[in-house]
């Protein structure tokens, strides 16, 4: 008995002792400390499962691309004549030059001659050719090789060749914008590190001298992407060319990246928003620590444990008081929408889709539920992507009150032939709709059938509480009009399965609010999402969940994917947005605004990139230019 | 001979249980709607790439083939490869289990010790203010949402009073920028205290009430009355007569809680960013990372089966009336 | 009456069990008797008559709701708390009574089977009590244990066993050994043989008698079985519904007992020796002690009850030398 008390006393004593011990002074350093919300999945750039923003962030600091978008997404004078004026030179020294040769096109890419790998080797045309061939010959698509379609039989790239050490020639079957914004915006890997690995795998799985078969390709690819970077290739053996090198990784805890002191781009001038920055890196490196709860990373930020973190709008006020901390926000190019299953009634009626779109009061949701975090959008190209965004689309009830929206919906449905056993009634004074007086009941579709229950497939409250609330409100308004709506909370993984069933069967949903997309700066995704060949029942795993099938759209989408002139292409993209807004296979609802806070007293020259914020996987410029502020 | 037959039978029974549980888990994951590919979903991914991934996950095989492979792997203790980490499940588990053991198993031990000590005190002093006070406090902490409770403790003791680190198992700056082994050990302990206090405070009550109930029952036994009448010191009667016998069911609960502790706790691991196995299991289930989730359940099932065997053995040791000849 | 020294004197003790709702059970209702040194006093009565509560009152091992209302118990002990001679047990603190327990008065419990801790070795339990009470070394305790084993006829080796490995008789012997282990001045044996089969019961009784003779023990022997009590006691006290209805020497019991209840007990007693007499039980049930009948408590069951029995309690009067009884009928006629 006594000894147990002693043990407890001893433990308490130890606890106090440890609590009281002076924790060893941390060495003074200029590492940027980032609070991250999740563990890094992995660093293997070929593994498709490592597409989380955290893995991507680390990869984007290791490997680099031939071209990028300009830091501020403004036009680059050098990109005149390209399919996108915002293209920015990185490893490449010049914009690609094209020449028609017979049925094909030749694209010549000039590389800089001063790009070095971390091990001192020069980055040459060999590396570029090797990397491109990974895709072309072996079908091994690296993670950030933006355009996956390059691997397929329909690939527009015929071959790639080295002309000299710093010149690469691509032979193209056709000239497409995705070549520039896709293929040329993928990571370049060091041939001397990866070739032996790939060759060993080919030797193991490829029999005979014929072309590598599809089955063999799958074996090779899965062997390559199961390679564990950090173990099979030790962290310090990874070879990249970027500004930060992975140096230490404790899974689930932290990762340390050290600055590449010999970064090839050091001293180059970056012009951002009219201001010039010299590339560093100036900081010692990056330390990212996992905080699984935003409540805690917020405290860590306030206590000075980290230098940058994301916060919620409700936290703004507590950071506003802190002088050393600055708040920045950015609007991402996320796309959330109401997705209608056009295969089913009543979603197959345009009037019905319009009705639900009118009812979905995105302004109200943004204000009341999301606290301004989810700004409304009207197009499938979010407004932040301003070059491609069509601002002149129907706003479906913007500025209307709930009663007005409900009345509008009643009129739309009625005019299209919907009937009620008991019509909804409204209080209308001097032509102004004041309120819904009586709910509608027994809705019948124009074909005379009773309107079946319409399920709103949304994220469950435990996943995204706010979204559940919005779904419940929408359900209420639909019921007001007499539409038998039912919010059906569905986990993300389940929703994906229902939207695009594994076995290639027809999607099983009515209205989807649970799955959205993070879109690219290039609008090519419009074709990937709504082209009729993308229906899951046509191509298993396709993305056209709604089952939208419009030859007019298909043709224009295909055309836009081949149009190299940005002005011409822009018109087509505008038209495509119009068609979607008119036909409503989906109704775009909102995008996301994110808020970040950072230590302005420790580092200066922070750069808030449009669509991507002051850091992360899509702002590779930020940390190569920030500078530590001298402290005593 | 007889002595050997019993453990052997238990082990065989355990293996059969394991087989049944693992089969149910396999089926459960397959029957549950949800696409493991949901974690890699990307509109630019062509169907062919999706097919490649599905193939590399082994999901393009018919279910009975998948089951066959699964069983074969279990027999060779190969838990497969996590979809999310593309890393052998055994490696993921090996990295997380020690962390979980450190926190959750110490918390189990601590709350059991605390629960048994307090439980015997309040059972002995029934209807005292101490009993009401401890029961009320215990239930209060027991019923309090642990996420919220942890947050309060972090806010008070770590953020305001600066006594403990805010979260995590180690100080990342210290570790990565150089620290001696001694400093590292102190650092881990320093990080351990707050979550340990949280978990123990939240869970000792169960043990305490169990001990109390069990002890109140034992105290009605004749031998306890007899021991009192013999004029043995109060503490002796309480500890080696009443408590000694009352501990038996509590020890069962304790061993089971030890085996369950390896599963960690999602909320505690989330709020303290503790790199344990509970959060991993949760994420694996949400993301349909079958191999990882199955691996977690395998370990949990194995531990529970082992715990039951250990309980039997412990009983034979603690209670001479039990024997397995 | 021989001028024997009294070792225990119980004087008008009243003990109630509190029940919920302010009610109470008068389990011991004004009892007086004494125990002489080296002699045995037997207490007999039906179950629930309060005889075990008498034992609990003496050793103060009553449950929480047991309340001593009045009376005195004197016990001849060595010096304790600066007092000597006949010590008033009720005046002792819990700590002081703790010293009396087992050193002064030990007990053989009702249901001896269950009075041993099932998870500890029998020997250890006996050694433990010796070591706590007599502050002796382990070795000495071990030696004493062996002596005790001889007295109670247990193979000392068996002392390493656990209670469940003992037969009923052996457990009983162990409990007796435990009661003897600290050399107490008085032993209270509360139904020591109840749960045993007849043959074992007989053997244990023989052993108790032997020990009694050998050690010159003072003892209170409590049982519901008059034949057992009379076999072993020097004096017999008959209790009914919390009161003593009759007390007399063993020798004169069968001949001279006058109280209708005692006679009833004698008649219902299967004679071990002698002819198979008719077994005439006492009809009816003992009264509830929370609301005992007015007058003589036995009157509802008494075949001789007269009017006064229903109205007034009979006086506990001396009927002959050392023979007391409380009955209207007998005293009047």
């Amino acid at each position: 008995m006594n000894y147990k008390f002693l043990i407890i006393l001893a433990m308490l004593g130890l606890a106090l002792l440890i609590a009281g011990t002076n924790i060893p002074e941390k060495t003074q350093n200029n590492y940027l400390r980032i609070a991250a919300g999740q563990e890094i999945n992995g660093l293997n750039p070929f593994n498709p499962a490592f597409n989380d923003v955290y893995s991507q962030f680390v990869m984007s600091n290791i490997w680099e691309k031939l071209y990028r978008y300009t830091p501020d997404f403004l036009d680059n004078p050098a990109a005149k004549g390209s399919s996108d004026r915002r293209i920015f030179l990185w490893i490449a020294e010049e914009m690609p030059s094209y020449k028609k040769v017979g049925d094909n096109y030749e694209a010549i890419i000039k590389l800089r001659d001063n790009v070095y790998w971390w091990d001192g080797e020069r980055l040459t045309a060999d590396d570029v050719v090797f990397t491109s061939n990974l895709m072309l010959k072996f079908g091994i698509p690296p993670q950030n090789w933006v355009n996956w379609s390059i691997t397929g039989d329909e690939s527009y790239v015929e071959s790639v060749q080295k002309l000299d050490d710093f010149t690469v020639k691509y032979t193209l079957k056709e000239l497409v914008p995705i070549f520039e914004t896709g293929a040329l915006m993928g990571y370049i890997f060091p041939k001397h590190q990866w070739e032996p690995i790939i060759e060993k795998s080919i030797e193991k799985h490829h029999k005979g001298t014929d072309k590598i078969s599809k089955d063999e390709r799958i074996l090779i690819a899965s062997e390559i992407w199961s390679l564990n970077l950090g173990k099979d290739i030790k962290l310090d053996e990874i070879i990249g060319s970027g500004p930060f090198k992975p140096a230490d990784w404790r899974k689930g805890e932290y990762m340390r990246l050290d600055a590449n002191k010999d970064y090839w781009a050091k001293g180059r001038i970056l012009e951002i928003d009219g201001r010039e920055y010299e590339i560093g890196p100036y900081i010692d490196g990056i330390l990212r620590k996992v905080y699984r709860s935003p409540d805690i990373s917020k405290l860590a930020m306030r206590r000075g444990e980290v230098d940058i973190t994301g916060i919620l709008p409700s936290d703004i006020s507590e950071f506003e008081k802190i002088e050393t901390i600055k708040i920045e926000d950015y609007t991402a190019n996320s796309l959330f929408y109401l997705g209608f299953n056009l295969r089913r009634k009543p979603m197959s009626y345009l009037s019905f889709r319009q009705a639900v779109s009118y009812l979905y009061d995105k302004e109200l949701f943004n204000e009341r539920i999301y606290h301004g975090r989810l700004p409304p959008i009207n197009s499938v190209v979010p407004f932040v992507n301003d070059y491609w965004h069509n601002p002149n689309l129907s706003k479906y009830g913007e500025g209307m009150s709930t009663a007005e929206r409900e009345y509008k919906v009643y009129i739309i449905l009625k005019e299209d032939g919907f009937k009620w056993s008991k019509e909804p009634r409204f209080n209308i004074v001097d032509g102004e709709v004041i309120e819904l007086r009586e709910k509608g009941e027994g809705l019948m579709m124009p074909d005379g059938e009773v309107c079946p229950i319409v399920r709103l497939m949304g994220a469950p409250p435990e996943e995204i509480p706010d979204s559940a609330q919005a779904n419940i409100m929408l359900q209420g308004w639909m019921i007001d009009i007499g539409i038998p709506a039912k919010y059906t909370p569905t986990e993300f993984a389940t929703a994906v399965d229902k939207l695009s069933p594994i076995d290639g069967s027809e999607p099983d949903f009515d209205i989807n609010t649970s799955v959205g997309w993070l879109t690219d700066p290039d609008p090519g995704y419009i074709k990937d999402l709504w082209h009729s060949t993308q229906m899951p029942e046509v191509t298993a795993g396709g993305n056209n969940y709604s089952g939208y099938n419009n030859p007019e759209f298909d043709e224009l989408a295909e055309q836009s994917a081949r149009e190299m002139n940005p002005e011409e292409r822009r018109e087509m993209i505008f038209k495509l947005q119009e068609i979607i807004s008119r036909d409503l296979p989906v109704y775009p609802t909102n995008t996301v605004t994110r808020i970040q806070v950072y230590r302005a007293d420790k580092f200066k020259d922070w750069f808030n990139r449009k669509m991507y914020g002051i850091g992360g996987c899509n702002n590779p410029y930020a940390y190569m230019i920030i500078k530590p502020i001298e402290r005593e | 001979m007889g002595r050997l037959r019993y453990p052997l039978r238990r082990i065989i029974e355990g293996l059969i249980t394991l087989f049944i549980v693992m089969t149910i888990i396999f089926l459960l994951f397959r029957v549950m709607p949800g696409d493991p590919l949901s974690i890699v979903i990307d509109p630019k991914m062509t169907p062919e790439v999706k097919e490649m991934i599905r193939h590399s996950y082994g999901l393009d095989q018919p279910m009975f083939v998948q089951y066959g492979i699964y069983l074969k792997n279990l027999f060779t203790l190969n838990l497969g490869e996590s979809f999310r980490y593309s890393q052998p499940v055994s490696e993921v588990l090996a990295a997380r289990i020690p962390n979980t053991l450190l926190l959750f198993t110490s918390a189990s031990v601590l709350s059991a010790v605390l629960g048994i000590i307090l439980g015997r005190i309040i059972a002995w002093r029934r209807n005292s203010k101490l009993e009401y006070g401890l029961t009320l406090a215990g239930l209060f902490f027991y019923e309090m949402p642990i996420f919220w409770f942890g947050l309060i403790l972090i806010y008070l003791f770590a953020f305001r009073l600066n006594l403990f680190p805010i979260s995590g198992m180690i100080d990342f700056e210290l570790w990565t920028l150089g620290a001696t082994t001694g400093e590292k050990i102190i650092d881990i302990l320093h990080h351990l205290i707050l979550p340990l206090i949280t978990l123990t405070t939240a869970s000792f009550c169960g043990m305490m009430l169990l001990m109390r109930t069990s002890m109140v029952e034992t105290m009605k036994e004749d031998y306890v009355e007899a021991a009192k009448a013999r004029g043995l010191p109060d503490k002796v009667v309480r500890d080696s007569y009443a408590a000694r016998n009352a501990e038996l069911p509590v020890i069962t609960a304790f061993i089971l809680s030890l085996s369950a502790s390896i599963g960690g706790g999602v909320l505690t691991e989330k709020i303290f960013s503790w790199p344990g196995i509970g959060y991993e299991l949760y994420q694996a289930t949400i993301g349909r990372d079958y191999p990882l989730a199955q691996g977690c359940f395998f370990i949990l099932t194995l531990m529970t089966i082992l715990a039951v065997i250990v309980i039997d053995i412990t009983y034979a040791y603690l209670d001479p009336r039990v024997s397995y000849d | 009456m021989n001028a024997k020294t009294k070792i225990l004197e119980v004087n008008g003790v009243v003990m109630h069990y509190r029940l919920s709702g302010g009610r109470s059970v008068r389990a011991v209702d004004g009892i007086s008797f004494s125990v002489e040194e080296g002699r045995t006093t037997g207490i007999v009565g039906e179950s629930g008559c309060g005889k075990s509560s008498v034992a609990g009152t003496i050793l103060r091992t009553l449950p929480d709701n047991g309340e001593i209302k009045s009376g005195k118990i004197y016990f001849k002990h060595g010096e304790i708390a600066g007092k000597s001679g006949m010590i008033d047990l009720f005046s002792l603190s819990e700590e002081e009574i703790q010293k009396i327990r087992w050193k002064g008065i030990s007990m053989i419990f009702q249901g001896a089977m269950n009075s041993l801790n099932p998870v500890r070795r029998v020997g250890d339990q006996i050694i433990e009590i010796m070591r706590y009470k007599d502050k002796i070394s382990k070795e000495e305790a071990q030696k004493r244990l062996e002596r005790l084993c001889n007295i109670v006829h247990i193979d000392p080796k068996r002392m390493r066993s656990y209670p469940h490995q003992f037969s009923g008789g052996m457990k009983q012997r162990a409990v007796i050994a435990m009661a003897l282990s600290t050399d107490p001045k008085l032993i209270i044996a509360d139904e020591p043989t109840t749960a045993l089969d007849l043959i074992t019961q007989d053997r244990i009784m023989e052993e108790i008698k032997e020990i009694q003779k050998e050690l010159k023990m003072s003892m209170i022997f409590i049982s519901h079985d008059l034949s057992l009590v009379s076999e072993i006691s020097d004096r017999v006290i008959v209790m009914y519904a919390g009161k003593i209805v009759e007390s007399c020497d063993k020798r004169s019991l069968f001949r001279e007992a006058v109280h209708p209840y005692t006679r009833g007990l004698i008649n219902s007693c299967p004679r071990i020796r002698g002819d198979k007499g008719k077994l005439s039980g006492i009809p009816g049930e003992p009264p509830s002690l929370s609301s005992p009948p007015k007058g003589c408590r036995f009157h509802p069951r008494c075949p001789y009850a007269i009017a006064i029995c229903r109205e007034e309690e009979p006086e506990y009067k001396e009927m002959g030398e050392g023979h007391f009884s409380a009955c209207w009928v007998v005293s009047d006629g």
Side-chain angles (χ1 to χ4, degrees), chain A residues 32 282-283 603-607 622-628:
Chain A
L32 175 77
Y282 302 98
I283 53 178
F603 301 98
K604 62 178 180 184
D605 290 351
W606 293 86
F607 161 46
Y623 301 146
M624 61 172 83
I625 58 174
I626 60 167
K627 291 192 182 77

Side-chain angles (χ1 to χ4, degrees), chain A residues 175-210:
Chain A
L175 210 48
V176 286
I178 201 73
F179 175 65
E180 293 182 340
T181 54
L184 299 182
M185 286 197 183
Y187 294 139
I188 302 297
F189 301 99
K191 184 181 175 186
H192 59 290
Q193 175 151 58
W194 290 94
E195 195 176 48
I197 295 167
I198 309 270
E199 271 182 354
K200 222 168 108 190
S201 188
I202 292 170
E203 210 175 289
K204 191 168 149 198
H205 298 290
H206 177 53
K207 308 278 178 272
T209 46
D210 302 344

Side-chain angles (χ1 to χ4, degrees), chain C residues 33-54:
Chain C
F33 68 94
S34 57
V35 181
E36 286 163 3
E37 227 168 286
R39 311 286 293 268
T40 297
T41 299
I43 303 179
V44 69
E46 286 166 290
S47 54
C49 72
K51 55 190 193 301
S52 291
S53 300
V54 173

Side-chain angles (χ1 to χ4, degrees), chain A residues 1-2 4-5 8 11 14-16 18-19 21 23-27 29 31 33-34 37-42 47-51 138-141 143 146-149 151-153 214 217-219 221-222 225-226 228 231 248 250-254 256 287-296 299-300 302-303 305-306 462-463 491-494 496-498 500 502 515 517-518 520 525 528-529 534 539-543 545, chain B residues 32-57 59 81 83-88 91 95-96 99 110 113-114 116-117 120-121 147 150-151 154-155 157-177 179 183 186-191 193 196-197 235 238-239 247 269-276 279-280 282-283 285-288:
Chain A
M1 186 58 214
N2 274 326
K4 280 180 190 159
F5 268 127
I8 291 192
M11 289 184 76
L14 190 70
L16 284 175
I18 293 167
T21 357
I23 292 309
E25 274 299 306
K26 289 162 201 162
T27 38
N29 64 62
Y31 277 90
R33 299 162 308 168
I34 303 175
Q38 283 257 337
E39 164 65 327
I40 292 165
N41 281 358
N47 192 312
F50 299 168
N51 65 342
F138 315 126
I140 303 167
Q143 183 41 242
V146 180
N147 180 18
W148 297 86
S149 70
T151 53
D153 294 333
K214 188 177 156 195
R217 253 185 8 225
I218 288 175
L219 286 175
S222 44
W225 72 43
S226 64
N228 186 348
K231 192 174 161 230
D248 187 12
R250 251 182 88 90
K251 289 188 178 165
E253 289 275 0
Y254 65 79
R256 190 182 96 222
L287 278 170
R288 79 181 276 296
K289 179 175 184 186
V290 177
Y291 293 89
R292 286 170 174 169
S293 158
D295 296 314
I296 300 304
L299 290 183
R302 283 178 59 190
R303 204 168 91 158
E305 215 169 82
V306 291
E462 59 274 19
E463 249 175 47
E491 254 187 306
F492 182 74
T494 308
V496 170
D497 192 22
K498 285 183 178 295
S500 186
I502 300 171
V515 174
W517 300 108
L518 182 66
D520 288 327
Y525 65 86
D528 297 332
L529 291 180
Q534 280 291 321
T539 311
N543 303 311
Y545 308 146
Chain B
M32 193 163 71
D35 187 352
L37 250 61
S38 62
I39 56 167
V40 298
I41 181 170
D42 185 317
K44 296 177 297 284
M45 206 177 263
T46 58
E48 191 193 324
V49 174
K50 286 187 185 175
E51 199 191 316
M52 276 171 87
I53 300 168
R54 217 177 280 286
H55 177 84
S56 81
Y57 287 177
L59 294 169
E81 204 168 83
F83 295 162
R84 178 177 169 201
Y85 296 114
S86 292
Q87 207 185 334
E91 270 179 34
R96 301 296 156 107
N99 303 343
L110 213 58
V113 171
L114 202 67
I116 289 174
I117 290 176
R120 69 163 67 151
I121 290 175
F147 193 82
L151 195 60
I154 291 171
Y155 187 78
F157 294 103
F159 184 68
R160 279 276 164 232
L161 299 174
N162 217 359
L163 285 175
F164 301 104
I166 283 180
S167 82
M169 200 174 113
I170 54 173
D171 185 302
F172 62 122
E173 258 185 284
L174 190 74
W175 277 58
T176 189
L177 299 178
E183 284 172 339
I186 297 263
D187 185 52
I188 290 187
L189 290 175
H190 198 213
H191 280 78
I193 293 169
L196 193 58
I197 290 176
K235 273 181 69 160
R238 186 185 72 188
D239 296 340
E247 268 163 21
E269 287 177 22
K270 184 169 180 187
I271 192 82
F272 287 101
S273 298
W274 195 266
Y279 194 65
E280 214 55 64
Y282 168 74
Q283 294 269 324
T285 310
I286 291 289
R288 304 291 187 270

